[in-house]
């Protein structure tokens, strides 16, 4: 029975690590794809603003 008792230590460690991972983990969000699409729109708008701001400066010289 003593050898089986030693198996309880790794088993308890695995169970506690799983519980800790569930409690301390980052919560999953359902709207990740909308955030990615919003970021893509923002990046495109900034690229257009940069292109339009640099266009008159390059034609003026």
């Amino acid at each position: 029975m003593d050898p089986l008792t030693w198996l309880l230590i790794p088993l308890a460690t695995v169970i506690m690590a799983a519980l800790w991972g569930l409690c301390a983990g980052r919560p999953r969000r359902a709207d990740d794809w909308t955030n990615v699409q919003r970021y893509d729109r923002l990046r495109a708008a900034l690229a257009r603003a940069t292109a339009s701001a640099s266009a008159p400066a390059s034609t003026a010289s």
Side-chain angles (χ1 to χ4, degrees):
M1 191 68 175
D2 283 335
L4 291 177
T5 307
W6 282 103
L7 290 177
L8 289 177
I9 295 171
L11 181 64
T13 304
V14 167
I15 291 172
M16 292 304 291
L19 288 174
W20 179 79
L22 287 173
C23 294
R26 183 175 60 99
R28 302 268 180 202
R29 294 180 51 177
D31 62 343
D32 282 341
W33 289 111
T34 57
N35 287 342
V36 170
Q37 292 167 350
R38 215 176 307 149
Y39 173 74
D40 285 341
R41 287 195 308 259
L42 176 66
R43 190 175 57 182
L46 289 175
R48 286 192 306 269
T50 304
S52 67
S54 65
S58 63
T59 58
S61 34

